[in-house]
Amino acid sequence: GAGVSQSPSNKVTEKGKDVELRCDPISGHTALYWYRQRLGQGLEFLIYFQGNSAPDKSGLPSDRFSAERTGESVSTLTIQRTQQEDSAVYLCASSAIGPADLHFGNGTRLTVT
Amino acid sequence: KQEVTQIPAALSVPEGENLVLNCSFTDSAIYNLQWFRQDPGKGLTSLLLIQSSQREQTSGRLNASLDKSSGRSTLYIAASQPGDSATYLCAVNTGGFKTIFGAGTRLFVKA
């Protein structure tokens, strides 16, 4: 079926506002990953879901960041009280068999003004 | 802590040249290493996956090598084409669910 879908593709928000980023994984993929990519840098791991559970949230940069996944499907990454340093591309990936089989979405480009 | 470094950060070559992209990692205890391609505004596409027990993998004009003991991998692209222009990222997995990515090499192939 379709690949990993992320929305919105672009988001411009004012400093201090909350934003929600959405990821629709490939159907049947039990694992879901969120990464952040700052300009000119590699991907920074944020959080991993196995089913609806997140075994490791230590990659989340601060308590302003949270994520949830429901129905072993859609995941939402929420950033509260956005700061300029949150500006980046947020990438979602899903996998059926583990981290060697990552399928990435096109990302959400977040700009905080 | 595993760190992945890619050199050069950017590379511009004329069409038809053979080229090598370099990746180094600090902890040799890896499970596998992958090379990805990222086009502007797009996600990552996996190119080659090398398991820790393997020395190299080939796909078409691409060949990736792995030397675990020295913490190095190379991606060789033969007879480069303008369509190869993209960012190439190296990533290592140490057996868990975290994959550690390098910052990438931006490749531009001139027609």
Side-chain angles (χ1 to χ4, degrees):
Chain A
V4 177
S5 177
Q6 292 188 246
S7 60
S9 56
N10 282 284
K11 176 72 176 177
V12 180
T13 190
E14 293 180 352
K15 177 182 172 181
K17 295 287 180 72
D18 298 350
V19 295
E20 281 190 356
L21 313 181
R22 177 186 169 106
C23 173
D24 279 280
I26 293 173
S27 178
H29 280 194
T30 57
L32 186 148
Y33 306 76
W34 283 99
Y35 289 89
R36 179 169 69 178
Q37 186 177 31
R38 288 192 165 122
L39 188 63
Q41 298 186 21
L43 275 66
E44 175 187 4
F45 170 83
L46 297 179
I47 191 169
Y48 153 74
F49 287 93
Q50 181 59 47
N52 293 334
S53 300
D56 188 339
K57 302 179 181 179
S58 62
L60 295 176
S62 75
D63 59 9
R64 296 186 295 104
F65 287 71
S66 63
E68 65 175 16
R69 188 180 186 195
T70 56
E72 296 195 356
S73 180
V74 172
S75 177
T76 302
L77 177 68
T78 301
I79 308 174
Q80 296 178 310
R81 304 181 302 281
T82 52
Q83 303 294 313
Q84 288 186 330
E85 62 262 29
D86 299 334
S87 296
V89 175
Y90 290 82
L91 289 162
C92 173
S94 70
S95 169
I97 60 173
D101 182 42
L102 295 176
H103 297 260
F104 281 86
N106 288 337
T108 293
R109 181 176 298 279
L110 175 66
T111 303
V112 182
T113 61
Chain B
K1 177 185 173 184
Q2 179 72 270
E3 293 183 0
V4 180
T5 303
Q6 292 188 246
I7 295 173
L11 181 63
S12 180
V13 300
E15 181 178 8
E17 270 205 7
N18 304 324
L19 59 101
V20 175
L21 307 182
N22 296 291
C23 171
S24 61
F25 46 94
T26 55
D27 186 346
S28 62
I30 66 170
Y31 188 67
N32 60 52
L33 182 145
Q34 281 187 274
W35 283 92
F36 290 85
R37 170 183 173 139
Q38 185 176 30
D39 292 286
K42 302 291 186 181
L44 280 67
T45 301
S46 180
L47 297 173
L48 289 164
L49 169 68
I50 311 177
Q51 301 291 352
S52 62
S53 59
Q54 297 175 321
R55 297 283 294 184
E56 65 177 346
Q57 282 287 334
T58 298
S59 176
R61 294 182 294 108
L62 305 180
N63 176 275
S65 68
L66 173 64
D67 184 342
K68 266 194 357 174
S69 61
S70 67
R72 294 177 187 272
S73 175
T74 61
L75 178 66
Y76 175 82
I77 302 177
S80 58
Q81 303 171 357
D84 295 331
S85 299
T87 297
Y88 292 81
L89 294 101
C90 167
V92 300
N93 181 271
T94 54
F97 51 82
K98 287 184 185 178
T99 299
I100 310 300
F101 287 81
T105 293
R106 284 183 288 111
L107 173 65
F108 179 63
V109 181
K110 297 171 287 186

